[in-house]
Amino acid sequence: MRFALLFTMASICFGFGVGVGESAAHAEEALSPANRAEAVQIIADLRHIVTPQGIERHEKIRIGGIDQWVSIRGTDKRNPILLMVHGGPGWVSMPTSWYFQRGWEEYFTVVQWDQRGAGSTYATNDPDAVAPTMTPERMIADTEEMVSWLRKEFGRDKIFLLGHSWGTYLGLEVAQRHPDWLYAYIGVAQMTNMPQSEREGWQFDMDEAKKASNAQAIAELNSIAPYGTGSKPITVASLMIQRKWLNQFGGMVYQRTGGQAEGAAMSLSPEYTDADVDKVGEASQYSLNKLLGKVITLDLSRIQKLDCPVVLFLGRHDHNVSSSLAAAWFGKLQAPSKRLVWFENSAHEVAVEEPGKTLVSLVTYVRPLAADAPVR
């Protein structure tokens, strides 16, 4: 397997540190996973929480009348809670959090949540039974219930809510309705005027296609033109063409052709079973089919005032959800305090693309806003 060479080389390096011969052989035996289960166990062991005040939970809770999965992790449960509301709709962050989240857990109790119709929550429930409830209103209500459950479960008046992409819509709605529940709202890849964002994304694609003299891209993009204009809704098929080329030209992950690496990382998630991993794509398509039409017609620039602190993390090269539109909206937004952090080497997947800067920014700009929370 592809793991074998990587871990054989690792064992050689360990051998030089502890002695050659038998020690190196033992290292190779311990570090060479033969299958997904063994590779996942290595990751789980590395990130296992061992501190006296630590917390490491992975469980189903009842939200909105169905079982929904959460992961709750941190080295000190007295730290403030940070709920990450994932994007998509249906593109979960729990199964890649093993890569980007470990540092966060020293400063926050971090909660990953697979939303209705997504990830392991999708795999746990009957999709046909859940289908009638796949509405923006129900998703907002689920988010409110999730925050309420955390506040009650951990005896906290406030938490941090971090939304990514689609999750920024849900997060903004909670921040508007319940600012007293939040230390701050953190928007990553913030959605604002989505019809305009879609049009700008198509234009980015076309400009890049012409620079590259990519005849196929130009032809496919022309086939969906005019894109996102007039009263005709954007179809899933048209959006997939726009996203295909946007991904190819680095508008989703900077200087990469899409999110293949992140998608592959899901298969190494300690929280996910084989069945969960197998259904990630199916769940994502299910959620898109149910919610996409509403998502790409949203105009969140109507929100001009929030009564809690606001922090935005924006990728300079994000054309999946326009970061320039988000910055313009943020400039006009009224809030008790606000801060915009630019990630110069990121597009849409800030936490994965620049995990170090994400951690430093959370610790520097977000953590101090929980002034009444105990400091580690």
Side-chain angles (χ1 to χ4, degrees), residues 36-50:
R36 170 182 132 79
E38 292 182 11
V40 165
Q41 189 59 53
I42 290 171
I43 293 171
D45 289 344
L46 279 171
R47 67 200 286 260
H48 179 50
I49 302 292
V50 297

Side-chain angles (χ1 to χ4, degrees), residues 315-360:
R316 183 68 73 179
H317 309 279
D318 190 353
H319 298 281
N320 193 299
V321 172
S322 172
S323 57
S324 61
L325 288 177
W329 166 79
F330 183 80
K332 299 176 182 178
L333 179 71
Q334 297 179 34
S337 69
K338 61 180 190 175
R339 181 178 293 271
L340 168 58
V341 184
W342 281 106
F343 288 73
E344 300 295 342
N345 296 305
S346 292
H348 193 64
E349 300 296 333
V350 166
V352 174
E353 295 179 80
E354 294 184 70
K357 184 170 182 176
T358 301
L359 172 60
V360 170

Side-chain angles (χ1 to χ4, degrees), residues 62-375:
R62 200 74 177 170
I63 295 290
I66 66 171
D67 289 336
Q68 303 199 31
W69 279 94
V70 294
S71 165
I72 306 170
R73 296 176 50 84
T75 59
D76 189 335
K77 57 180 174 286
R78 296 168 296 183
N79 277 331
I81 294 166
L82 187 154
L83 169 65
M84 184 167 184
V85 183
H86 67 70
W91 191 248
V92 282
S93 55
M94 187 189 298
T96 54
S97 62
W98 64 266
Y99 170 73
F100 65 80
Q101 182 183 289
R102 184 63 185 86
W104 304 11
E105 295 163 10
E106 298 178 26
Y107 301 92
F108 304 89
T109 295
V110 186
V111 182
Q112 292 287 348
W113 162 43
D114 281 5
Q115 298 164 24
R116 177 183 302 263
S120 49
T121 296
Y122 172 86
T124 295
N125 294 279
D126 177 1
D128 292 335
V130 172
T133 70
M134 291 292 294
T135 66
E137 294 76 18
R138 180 64 257 175
M139 304 297 282
I140 293 166
D142 280 0
T143 311
E144 291 176 307
E145 284 192 41
M146 185 74 244
V147 176
S148 294
W149 181 82
L150 289 168
R151 293 171 68 231
K152 181 178 179 181
E153 180 74 5
F154 292 95
R156 306 296 177 89
D157 291 332
K158 297 183 179 183
I159 71 166
F160 289 108
L161 190 157
L162 185 155
H164 176 245
S165 194
W166 150 259
T168 66
Y169 164 57
L170 303 179
L172 269 186
E173 290 293 337
V174 172
Q176 265 201 307
R177 300 176 189 197
H178 309 285
D180 54 313
W181 290 2
L182 305 181
Y183 288 120
Y185 163 71
I186 305 106
V188 182
Q190 178 67 51
M191 291 171 54
T192 51
N193 185 332
M194 288 307 295
Q196 181 62 25
S197 178
E198 287 299 311
R199 289 190 288 271
E200 290 187 8
W202 181 93
Q203 190 62 55
F204 165 81
D205 292 354
M206 183 59 80
D207 291 344
E208 294 300 309
K210 289 178 178 178
K211 287 178 192 176
S213 299
N214 189 320
Q216 181 185 353
I218 292 169
E220 290 187 12
L221 290 166
N222 277 327
S223 76
I224 60 172
Y227 180 80
T229 61
S231 58
K232 187 177 180 180
I234 298 173
T235 65
V236 173
S238 293
L239 181 132
M240 289 299 107
I241 292 172
Q242 192 260 34
R243 288 297 195 273
K244 168 187 173 181
W245 293 109
L246 189 144
N247 292 354
Q248 180 68 29
F249 295 129
M252 177 185 174
V253 184
Y254 181 50
Q255 298 286 32
R256 289 180 183 265
T257 55
Q260 293 91 337
E262 183 186 25
M266 290 184 176
S267 66
L268 296 177
S269 170
E271 283 87 2
Y272 268 37
T273 65
D274 289 347
D276 292 338
V277 171
D278 289 343
K279 287 184 177 290
V280 166
E282 178 183 319
S284 180
Q285 192 62 51
Y286 171 88
S287 291
L288 283 173
N289 289 340
K290 304 297 182 187
L291 294 166
L292 178 66
K294 297 290 181 67
V295 172
I296 57 181
T297 60
L298 289 170
D299 184 0
L300 302 182
S301 60
R302 60 180 169 75
I303 299 173
Q304 300 178 351
K305 184 177 184 292
L306 291 174
D307 293 323
C308 65
V310 179
V311 181
L312 290 197
F313 292 176
L314 300 180
R316 183 68 73 179
H317 309 279
D318 190 353
H319 298 281
N320 193 299
V321 172
S322 172
S323 57
S324 61
L325 288 177
W329 166 79
F330 183 80
K332 299 176 182 178
L333 179 71
Q334 297 179 34
S337 69
K338 61 180 190 175
R339 181 178 293 271
L340 168 58
V341 184
W342 281 106
F343 288 73
E344 300 295 342
N345 296 305
S346 292
H348 193 64
E349 300 296 333
V350 166
V352 174
E353 295 179 80
E354 294 184 70
K357 184 170 182 176
T358 301
L359 172 60
V360 170
S361 300
L362 286 170
V363 173
T364 303
Y365 305 123
V366 174
R367 180 63 175 78
L369 295 171
D372 60 340
V375 177

